[in-house]
Amino acid sequence: MNETDFIPKPYLNHIESGDFTWSSPSNIALVKYWGKKQDQIPENPSISFTLDYCKTTTKLSFSKKENKEAFSFDVFLDNEKKDDFKPKIETFFKRIEIYLPFLKDFHFKIETSNSFPHSSGIASSASGMSALALCLMSIEKEFVENISDEFFIQKASFLARLGSGSACRSLEGDLVVWGKHDEIDGSSDLFGVKYPFEVHQSFKNYHDTILLVDKGEKQVSSSVGHNLMYGHPFAQQRFEQANKNLSSIKSILKSGDLNAFIGLVESEALTLHAMMMTSMPYFILMKPNTLEIINKIWSFRESTGSKVCFTLDAGANVHVLYPENEAVSVLKFIKNELVIFCQKGEYINDKIGFGAQLIKVE
Ligand code: DP6
């Protein structure tokens, strides 16, 4: 598939108005995407666990309008008008207009809500952009009736990527790869694909407890961080390392080697933050409590032989990953030793999920 395969033939059907609602989850990368080329093409392939509880639900209502010169839409978060979300969506619409030629024909009302608190420091761009892309694809399906399920998801992921890179990994579960990798069949820089190989039982129902260390707005956005990978002294080595880690994770996921999994996932998390610290200008998104938690996890593992580990996204919060058979003991450890490092003691219990859902409105 290439970009032009996503440009539709002229539509034959006519549609006046309607609405669609989708919910789409967040995801947490095991091998990280950090650095991109033009048009949201990643510098290296990445792989993520799709989450279950953390998600965005978006209702997109549309009605035909007279003036077809400009985009027209309103955005609401929890029923409250959010004009500050508009520039990001306007940019998204501009990027995808060529693939969805109906965008200027309608006025849209975008009503969105998140299952997690807005000010939790959890980025809603992956779940939000993927939910919106799916709603838009549901409209396209009204215009082009014979769209296959496979193409529907692929194009939704392709569009979501143009909204926010990691969003293209949120549509399906439980493991999704984005970015061309020679050893992963069907992988593409343009959209996410379900991880196509065998996965050991140990990784089924994996848990992710998200410790909310800092719920404030990030000082440096992901887009700025990605851009700082241009001309970064270690960028090329980092992109090579991510490719190698993707090769390694294949055998780890197959064999269920949890020690190797821990080594790879924690190294990826710290490398991501090392890239930030060695950017110019440099920045640090971890907080003192992020490090307190990491050290506690390491000593718990040392003293108990547990297979719990951590990963980080572009922020201070810690994702604590652990297998299903340790759910009780690790949760006890989290409550006893880690919750004190969370802002207002808040955390979210999540686990691996299986992707987005169309919400049928009766
Ligand atoms: C650290 O997908 O938020 O979470 O493409 O600019 O929207 P944009 O960036 P975004 O970057 C996510 C970076 C990450 C790692 C990852 O999810 O792979």
Side-chain angles (χ1 to χ4, degrees):
M1 293 293 271
N2 60 46
E3 274 103 337
T4 50
D5 296 321
F6 294 107
I7 300 176
K9 298 203 181 77
Y11 299 138
L12 301 174
N13 294 356
H14 294 278
I15 298 152
E16 287 299 315
S17 62
D19 62 75
F20 290 102
T21 305
W22 279 87
S23 76
S24 190
S26 206
N27 68 74
I28 180 70
L30 304 171
V31 174
K32 310 285 180 182
Y33 146 60
W34 197 244
K36 59 179 163 184
K37 302 177 196 156
Q38 184 128 39
D39 298 327
Q40 302 274 108
I41 298 298
E43 287 278 11
N44 64 259
S46 55
I47 183 168
S48 51
F49 275 150
T50 304
L51 295 182
D52 183 46
Y53 170 77
C54 287
K55 59 180 170 220
T56 298
T57 301
T58 298
K59 177 179 178 188
L60 182 67
S61 312
F62 54 100
S63 52
K64 246 309 173 10
K65 66 179 168 68
E66 288 300 316
N67 174 349
K68 304 201 184 336
E69 301 288 291
F71 301 119
S72 167
F73 60 92
D74 291 310
V75 198
F76 297 82
L77 175 68
D78 299 328
N79 298 321
E80 203 181 297
K81 201 149 181 278
K82 280 282 179 192
D83 286 341
D84 49 326
F85 286 10
K86 290 185 84 169
K88 202 166 179 191
I89 294 174
E90 178 90 23
T91 306
F92 178 48
F93 279 7
K94 275 190 198 137
R95 282 187 192 152
I96 63 172
E97 192 188 358
I98 171 175
Y99 307 107
L100 295 177
F102 60 80
L103 284 179
K104 283 187 177 146
D105 296 349
F106 295 104
H107 172 75
F108 296 100
K109 185 177 182 193
I110 305 166
E111 292 169 277
T112 184
S113 62
N114 297 323
S115 62
F116 45 90
H118 183 55
S119 60
S120 57
I122 297 184
S124 58
S125 62
S127 52
M129 285 296 177
S130 53
L132 182 55
L134 284 158
C135 292
L136 291 168
M137 277 310 292
S138 286
I139 301 179
E140 175 153 86
K141 205 172 154 66
E142 299 273 294
F143 283 111
V144 190
E145 278 149 14
N146 57 356
I147 289 182
S148 70
D149 290 351
E150 192 193 350
F151 183 79
F152 184 96
I153 287 291
Q154 213 163 64
K155 183 163 173 181
S157 174
F158 171 86
L159 297 171
R161 183 197 100 241
L162 291 166
S164 175
S166 58
C168 77
R169 296 189 312 237
S170 269
L171 291 87
E172 297 178 281
D174 44 355
L175 278 156
V176 176
V177 175
W178 167 41
K180 181 83 194 111
H181 189 275
D182 291 343
E183 294 161 38
I184 301 187
D185 309 334
S187 60
S188 168
D189 284 347
L190 300 180
F191 45 80
V193 294
K194 265 173 91 144
Y195 178 72
F197 304 115
E198 193 184 327
V199 176
H200 193 270
Q201 195 56 31
S202 308
F203 295 107
K204 303 282 171 194
N205 220 15
Y206 228 69
H207 289 248
D208 178 6
T209 297
I210 308 162
L211 304 178
L212 305 179
V213 170
D214 184 36
K215 303 196 287 176
E217 194 83 5
K218 283 186 277 187
Q219 303 106 313
V220 181
S221 73
S222 287
S223 330
V224 172
H226 284 291
N227 277 334
L228 291 173
M229 289 300 278
Y230 285 111
H232 189 295
F234 309 134
Q236 290 315 315
Q237 293 92 320
R238 159 61 197 153
F239 303 145
E240 272 167 41
Q241 178 200 41
N243 270 283
K244 286 200 190 113
N245 279 345
L246 224 83
S247 300
S248 309
I249 210 167
K250 254 180 85 173
S251 54
I252 294 172
L253 290 172
K254 187 171 176 195
S255 65
D257 182 345
L258 292 177
N259 290 328
F261 179 78
I262 292 169
L264 190 150
V265 167
E266 293 190 346
S267 158
E268 273 289 322
L270 294 179
T271 303
L272 168 71
H273 284 256
M275 289 298 113
M276 300 174 190
M277 291 189 232
T278 47
S279 295
M280 197 53 85
Y282 44 81
F283 59 105
I284 300 179
L285 295 182
M286 289 189 282
K287 297 281 178 197
N289 281 350
T290 311
L291 294 179
E292 294 282 2
I293 290 168
I294 291 174
N295 280 311
K296 286 278 179 195
I297 290 174
W298 285 344
S299 33
F300 180 75
R301 218 159 58 211
E302 184 76 34
S303 62
T304 63
S306 163
K307 304 297 180 208
V308 63
C309 71
F310 72 86
T311 189
L312 308 166
D313 56 17
N317 295 339
V318 182
H319 288 250
V320 184
L321 302 177
Y322 48 101
E324 168 80 0
N325 66 358
E326 290 193 32
V328 174
S329 54
V330 173
L331 204 54
K332 195 166 153 212
F333 158 64
I334 289 172
K335 285 183 184 152
N336 288 345
E337 298 191 43
L338 304 184
V339 165
I340 43 161
F341 301 113
C342 297
Q343 216 178 329
K344 295 201 188 129
E346 283 183 53
Y347 61 96
I348 296 173
N349 276 324
D350 210 335
K351 61 180 166 68
I352 280 194
F354 296 92
Q357 280 179 324
L358 176 66
I359 313 286
K360 295 254 186 310
V361 185
E362 298 305 318

